[in-house]
Amino acid sequence: MNKPQKKDFSILVVDDNKESLKVVSNFLKTEGYQIALSLNANDALNILKENKIDLILLDVMMPGIDGFTLCRMLKNNPRLDDIPVIFLTAKTE
């Protein structure tokens, strides 16, 4: 069996901070991953409706639907509940 390549994995990065999205996406692109970017929870849900995503990097603090709420929504959806979620935050306190 062939080992999956990085280019075969898609990562959704959800963060309301454009600079954070840029930093994370540049790193992941350099590493060879396929990425999708979203500035908010609603856009992330739309991306998930139309794309196969293998991992979600999710900001904790976002306006509107925050990262914790979005994660609960994903885990309550049988089609999305098996996607691993890693929380990101710039909060230092």
Side-chain angles (χ1 to χ4, degrees):
M1 179 183 278
N2 292 336
K3 182 179 176 184
Q5 302 295 309
K6 288 181 182 179
K7 67 178 176 57
D8 298 325
F9 290 97
S10 57
I11 301 173
L12 172 60
V13 185
V14 185
D15 195 322
D16 63 313
N17 183 302
K18 290 181 183 180
E19 190 61 33
S20 295
L21 276 180
K22 182 178 177 182
V23 170
V24 174
S25 67
N26 285 341
F27 174 77
L28 294 172
K29 283 180 189 177
T30 301
E31 290 297 311
Y33 293 100
Q34 293 185 36
I35 62 165
L37 302 175
S38 173
L39 288 166
N40 60 61
N42 289 324
D43 288 345
L45 290 169
N46 287 329
I47 289 169
L48 288 162
K49 284 180 188 175
E50 300 179 14
N51 299 278
K52 181 191 174 297
I53 299 295
D54 298 301
L55 173 68
I56 300 170
L57 300 180
L58 180 56
D59 184 19
V60 171
M61 296 175 50
M62 295 186 295
I65 300 172
D66 67 16
F68 295 122
T69 302
L70 177 57
C71 186
R72 278 192 294 277
M73 293 168 69
L74 299 173
K75 296 308 173 184
N76 286 324
N77 182 327
R79 193 179 70 73
L80 305 172
D81 66 352
D82 63 339
I83 301 173
V85 175
I86 297 174
F87 285 107
L88 303 175
T89 186
K91 185 174 181 177
T92 59
E93 297 177 3

